[in-house]
Every structure is written in C-alpha cells, then in structure tokens.
Amino acid sequence: MQLLEFDTIIIGSGLAGLTAAYHAAQFGTVAVVTKSELDTSNSYYAQGGIAAAIGEDDSPQLHLADTLEAGRGLCDRDAVEVLVTEGRERVLELIDMGMPFDRVEGKIVPGLEGGHHKRRILHAGGDATGKMLTCFMLQKVREQKNITAFEYTAAVRLIENRGCILGVQAIDFVSGENIVFRSKAVILATGGLSRIFSRSTNPHTATGDGIAMAYQIGAKLADMEFVQFHPSALSLPGEEAFLISEAVRGEGAWLLTPSGERFMPQLHPLAELAPRDVVAYSIFKQMQQSGHDFVYLSLRHLDPTHIAERFHNIYFRLKEYGIDLTCDLVPVAPAAHYMVGGIRTDLNAETNIRGLFVCGEAASTGVMGANRLASNSLLECLVFGKRASEQAARLTSFDGPLPELETVTVSAENEQLYLQYKNEMAELLSEKLGIVRNQNGMQESVQRFNEIAAQFGDAAHEYNLLKIKNTVDICRLIAHSALIREESRGGHIREDFPEENPQFRVHIIQQKDHEPTFEPVNA
Ligand code: FAD
Ligand code: SIN
C-alpha cells in the first residue's frame, strides 16, 4: 500500500470539502480525496441558493427565528447563532472575493423560499447556484499550491487507534491501488445519503459513506431518523426525480391537485411557501387521496419571460421532456433530498474521536433541528468548513502506530450483487421509512435489514461488498432511530404517533456497541 502524509486530509469535494481545503491550506499541506470528479457532489446541483441575512430589512436574529421555527424545537440554539452570524460574514467575504451572485441593476436581490419570512436567498446563474459556487471555490482551491487533489479515489476506512484518528485508507479506481493517507486530522465532508432511497434528487455519490465509516470507528451519530423530502421533484414514469427548485414557488408558483385546484392556502398561512415538511406531507396526502403519483406545479399566471430567464436550467431540462415550464402543468412529487442527522459534532466541527472533524451534510451540528430551513445547507458548509480546518490546525500530532490493514480490491462480479441489494434496500427505505412511517412497517424493514447485515456484516476487503455493508448499516441506523422516536415532528411523521411529544425534544444518539441515548437540545 502506498503511504502518503499530509497535515490535513479532506474527504469529499462538495462545498464543505472545498471550503475546508481553502482555509486549511494556510496551515500546511492538504489532500482532497474524492470518489468521482472534483465537481461531482450535491453542492454542484444546488439550485435555489444560499440563505444569508444581507438585506436592509433583515438580520441574523430574524434568520435565526425562521431556522428555529422550521426546526420544530430540535435546533441547538448556539449552533444556529454561529450559522446565521458567521454565515452572513462568510457570504459577504465570498462577494468580496468576486463570487458572481445574480444582480439586478448592479444590486444583489435575494429570492424567497419556504419557511423564510424575508427575501434572503442569494442565487447565481439563475437556478445554477451550486454549479457557480462550487466552480468558484474549485478555482480558489486550484490556486493553492499546497493542496493536492485525488480524484476517483474513494475512502474506504478510517484508521483509528485508542480513540485518535491516524488517517484514511482509500482505493484509487484508476490504478486499483490502495493508498493510506496519514494525518493527525481528517475532515469528513462526504455529504448526505439520500441517493440510497429509490426516489431521490441526489447524484449517485450521496450514499452516506462517511457516516458509515465514522460509525464503524465509534463516532457518535445524532438524529438519523430525520431525512428531508423535497416537495417538488419531477414525477414522470421511469425518469430521474429532477429537482424543481423551491425558489420557483418563491417566485409565486402554485401547487394544484390533478383536477386543477390549489390546496396549500387552506393548509398553512404561508401556503406553497410553508416549511418543507409541511408542503411535502400535504402533497403526499393529496397523492393518497387522488390515487395519482403527482400533483401539479403551475406557473401559468407568472411572467413567462422572467420565469424562463430566472430558471433557465430547469426550463431547458423540462423542454427535454416536452414540458414548457412557463405554460404547461409540471407533475411533481416529493423525493428524498437531504440528510438532516449525521455525525455528531461540536461547534468546531469536532467529533468524539480525536482528530476526526465533519462538516456539511454528513455532520449533525444541531443547526437543522427536525427540518432544515431551505438553503441553510450551503451556508452550513461555508461556516463549519472553515471552523473545521481552523480547529484541525490547532491539534497536536498523535504518533500511534498504524494497525495492520487489509487491502481492498474491486471485483466486477460483485457489482451486480451490490446493485441487486442496493435496489432492494432502496425500495424498502422508500416504502417503510419514507415520508410517513409506522411501527409495523419499520419493524418489517428492520427484519430484512438484519438478514442482509448478517450476510455482509464482515465484508472488509471487496469494495462492492463493503458498499452493501455500509448501506445496510445506514438503513438500520435510520430505522432504529425512527422506531425510538414515537412522535411526529418535522420531517419524521408517524401514523401511529401523529402528535409532537415534548418528551422527545431530544437528540437521539447512536454509537456502535452502545445502547441509544438521548441528548438534551441546547435551547
Ligand atoms: P456534497 O456536496 O454532496 O459533497 C460530498 C462529496 O464527498 C462529493 O464530492 C462526493 O463524491 C464525496 N464522497 C462521498 N463519499 C466519498 C468517499 N467514500 N470517498 C471520497 N469521496 C467521497 N442546499 C442549499 O443550501 N441550497 C440549495 O439551493 C440547494 N439545492 C439543492 C439541490 C439539489 C438537487 C440537491 C441534491 C441538494 C440541494 N441542496 C441545497 C442541499 C445542498 O446542496 C447539500 O446539502 C450540500 O451541498 C452538501 O454539501 P457537502 O459538501 O456536505 O456534500
Ligand atoms: C431548492 O432549490 O429548492 C433546494 C433548496 C434546498 O435544498 O435548500
């Protein structure tokens, strides 16, 4: 195995990883390890924008209030304070650095999304914010001489000794070689896991690898039951669940039943711009009632020139399906979109494992609560990516010996097996752990997950088998937490416990070889 040494190792090249790399470079050498191309990430596909209280009529305190309201009592207030105050600073820095946010007559005019009471969503390239932002940060990262990027290189195992991190084992898909990246600090920025559901807005890379690897070495996980479903992803038979941004509703789009009636104004004072959990659940119920697997999004009453220009990415993508965003009804349905829970971190992005830091969607910093406020996640990447690299730089070296490591290979034969199990787990997750859950369904899924885990639990040296094991670990972690939370709150909705229960105003913590525990919310 090849052995490489860096001051900081960053796994993942979405906005969290790129931000962490950019800041870490001022303290020493940095490796960015990413399993596909540098620009393959959820971040790249972000549409709506990034939330920041930059308007004259806005303030971090108002942003905080909206975030707490959407989070339904599960946000840690200190973490949200950091998010909204430092987030504003990070976004203003980006503007100073030259990030081309969209302007009207020279002035940035933020948009509106669900759950926000002010227009505070900065966007770029119309609805191509993620692409513009990641390309901008990629350029900044490329300019730093002490950052080395490793594309097509997947982290497969975190290396730990007595509760301290020693590095990461990875496999280079091009050469087939294993590489050990040795460092005192590893920053996981591996993103979310929503792609393991059968209907998801996420790219193929979002499979929760970082969460599974961290769990394996004893990192604490929090709030794994909270998977956020985006209300409006395209719903056409056999097609990908392409996201139709919430910003479209921010510009005034309506949701209609298949028979053409608007239904959100009767259900919430913010109508189509209610928090995401409310809109996704309302659509789910409409679909149940009508027996159709979609509702319609209608923009017919809006200025077509403005819509085609503001959302040109969505406009052209829909054209490929023969749908005109400005005048046709667009069939949409919810899809798994964002992992709210994840690896538990403190305010400096540090985990309970010394030297292991996490930022971005893989982390559970406490800012998202039971339901993420739209466009807060890109902001979280900026704020906690910087904090992670600064805290990592303060760490002193730990010189424990490397344990013996088994080489991981890739066998084409096992790829079919992976696809077979992946599809089965995706169906089970979507059916039994989707928008609405109940005890019987979840227990049935756990039974099957346990059988799969028994079969692949020891997989250690073949990449596809390891992927089955990681996926089933994640499925079980989601299901266990969801079974424990006997209430409905935010994105976790249970038919058998339809009300919020104040006793569950706690984070559910899971750790390997420990019973789950409850951690109080920092309110
Ligand atoms: P990602 O951007 O997903 O990056 C993870 C990286 O880790 C990837 O490069 C991946 O390849 C790599 N990786 C994963 N596993 C491994 C491994 N084992 N080894 C090596 N590398 C690995 N949020 C907003 O705030 N505003 C929006 O407008 C918005 N729109 C969205 C639209 C879409 C379609 C989607 C899917 C999400 C959207 N979100 C939005 C959510 C937001 O994009 C993500 O939460 C955020 O970008 C996550 O950033 P990240 O850096 O943590 O993870
Ligand atoms: C969107 O554009 O609707 C996505 C925003 C988000 O996920 O925060």
Side-chain angles (χ1 to χ4, degrees):
M1 271 185 220
Q2 205 185 343
L3 180 70
L4 300 174
E5 208 152 341
F6 290 86
D7 293 310
T8 312
I9 313 282
I10 293 163
I11 314 293
S13 58
L15 188 62
L18 295 175
T19 304
Y22 174 73
H23 291 285
Q26 60 183 299
F27 306 113
T29 55
V30 181
V32 176
V33 178
T34 194
K35 71 177 172 183
S36 184
E37 289 103 357
L38 278 166
D39 60 5
T40 302
S41 62
N42 278 11
S43 303
Y44 186 87
Y45 293 101
Q47 293 182 354
I50 182 163
I54 63 157
E56 278 161 22
D57 63 340
D58 201 2
S59 70
Q61 284 310 307
L62 292 174
H63 189 181
L64 175 122
D66 285 347
T67 304
L68 296 182
E69 192 183 328
R72 307 284 327 160
L74 276 204
C75 294
D76 290 317
R77 193 186 170 99
D78 52 353
V80 182
E81 294 267 3
V82 168
L83 176 81
V84 295
T85 50
E86 289 186 18
R88 184 175 181 280
E89 289 166 24
R90 296 291 80 76
V91 167
L92 292 174
E93 266 166 27
L94 275 182
I95 296 170
D96 282 348
M97 284 159 70
M99 168 64 205
F101 287 113
D102 293 337
R103 291 171 187 260
V104 177
E105 291 169 4
K107 205 169 174 290
I108 293 175
V109 184
L112 193 62
E113 284 181 15
H116 290 273
H117 288 84
K118 294 283 174 194
R119 297 188 80 88
R120 62 168 76 95
I121 318 297
L122 287 81
H123 47 86
D127 53 358
T129 309
K131 179 177 173 186
M132 300 294 283
L133 201 47
T134 45
C135 290
F136 181 80
M137 283 309 292
L138 252 177
Q139 184 54 35
K140 298 287 161 203
V141 161
R142 285 195 172 114
E143 286 164 10
Q144 309 282 329
K145 296 230 160 21
N146 49 351
I147 300 179
T148 312
F150 296 82
E151 289 184 296
Y152 299 107
T153 305
V156 288
R157 194 175 287 138
L158 294 170
I159 309 167
E160 167 267 353
N161 187 359
R162 289 181 286 128
C164 297
I165 210 81
L166 295 172
V168 182
Q169 182 179 349
I171 179 161
D172 175 339
F173 292 129
V174 179
S175 67
E177 244 192 279
N178 277 213
I179 306 174
V180 171
F181 291 93
R182 180 142 198 186
S183 178
K184 67 175 168 50
V186 171
I187 301 181
L188 277 181
T190 40
L193 54 77
S194 296
R195 188 65 195 208
I196 67 174
F197 284 74
S198 50
R199 199 177 135 73
S200 168
T201 62
N202 289 197
H204 64 95
T205 42
T207 47
D209 308 8
I211 299 176
M213 286 189 289
Y215 175 72
Q216 276 307 322
I217 62 158
K220 289 184 181 176
L221 309 183
D223 301 338
M224 289 293 290
E225 65 278 35
F226 290 104
V227 178
Q228 184 172 66
F229 289 80
H230 196 290
S232 51
L234 186 66
S235 178
L236 287 176
E239 297 298 340
E240 286 278 310
F242 173 68
L243 185 76
I244 315 290
S245 175
E246 200 150 302
V248 171
R249 278 175 279 130
E251 292 293 325
W254 292 338
L255 287 165
L256 307 179
T257 63
S259 49
E261 289 122 42
R262 208 175 156 203
F263 57 91
M264 281 311 297
Q266 296 90 285
L267 300 173
H268 196 279
L270 292 173
E272 279 83 358
L273 287 175
R276 202 166 271 184
D277 55 336
V278 176
V279 183
Y281 183 50
S282 306
I283 293 176
F284 176 85
K285 282 203 301 196
Q286 277 300 332
M287 286 170 25
Q288 257 187 342
Q289 274 166 27
S290 71
H292 288 82
D293 51 10
F294 62 85
V295 295
Y296 283 123
L297 196 62
S298 171
L299 287 80
R300 288 171 163 173
H301 54 292
L302 302 174
D303 172 13
T305 315
H306 171 65
I307 292 300
E309 196 184 316
R310 168 76 176 84
F311 301 111
H312 62 96
N313 168 40
I314 300 173
Y315 177 80
F316 282 110
R317 181 69 186 265
L318 290 182
K319 275 247 144 149
E320 290 171 22
Y321 299 107
I323 298 172
D324 185 331
L325 179 67
T326 63
C327 57
D328 291 331
L329 295 176
V330 185
V332 294
H337 180 64
Y338 181 84
M339 183 50 183
V340 174
I343 307 160
R344 189 67 172 144
T345 65
D346 64 13
L347 294 184
N348 287 318
E350 204 160 5
T351 67
N352 60 309
I353 308 286
R354 186 182 183 276
L356 180 65
F357 300 83
V358 190
C359 52
E361 195 171 332
S364 172
T365 55
V367 299
M368 302 306 179
N371 177 44
R372 174 177 66 102
L373 184 65
S375 286
N376 264 356
S377 40
L378 292 175
L379 195 67
E380 189 193 32
C381 293
L382 291 185
V383 170
F384 291 95
K386 178 168 192 281
R387 280 187 163 237
S389 54
E390 287 172 350
Q391 187 66 4
R394 291 184 198 114
L395 208 67
T396 50
S397 289
F398 172 74
D399 282 329
L402 282 177
E404 238 179 71
L405 297 166
E406 274 188 86
T407 302
V408 173
T409 55
V410 186
S411 135
E413 278 165 35
N414 287 335
E415 198 170 338
Q416 276 312 315
L417 197 67
Y418 166 65
L419 291 177
Q420 178 195 322
Y421 280 96
K422 179 189 87 127
N423 291 339
E424 184 187 348
M425 289 187 272
E427 291 299 327
L428 265 177
L429 275 178
S430 302
E431 207 181 301
K432 311 289 186 195
L433 285 142
I435 297 186
V436 177
R437 301 152 174 196
N438 64 51
Q439 183 170 358
N440 289 345
M442 288 193 284
Q443 276 172 344
E444 269 174 47
S445 72
V446 168
Q447 207 176 338
R448 181 62 189 138
F449 294 145
N450 286 346
E451 286 165 11
I452 299 172
Q455 207 178 333
F456 295 97
D458 295 331
H461 41 257
E462 199 286 317
Y463 184 64
N464 290 292
L465 302 184
L466 211 53
K467 284 202 292 184
I468 300 178
K469 174 181 153 33
N470 283 347
T471 309
V472 78
D473 275 356
I474 299 277
C475 291
R476 293 207 298 173
L477 288 159
I478 295 173
H480 285 156
S481 238
L483 274 163
I484 293 170
R485 186 170 289 283
E486 294 184 331
E487 65 160 355
S488 292
R489 184 187 292 269
H492 171 71
I493 300 165
R494 285 194 55 165
E495 275 170 344
D496 41 357
F497 295 95
E499 304 298 329
E500 234 172 65
N501 177 348
Q503 282 180 347
F504 279 104
R505 198 174 173 201
V506 285
H507 300 292
I508 297 177
I509 305 293
Q510 297 188 80
Q511 189 179 11
K512 195 173 176 207
D513 302 328
H514 290 72
E515 286 300 315
T517 54
F518 295 123
E519 188 185 294
V521 169
N522 186 338

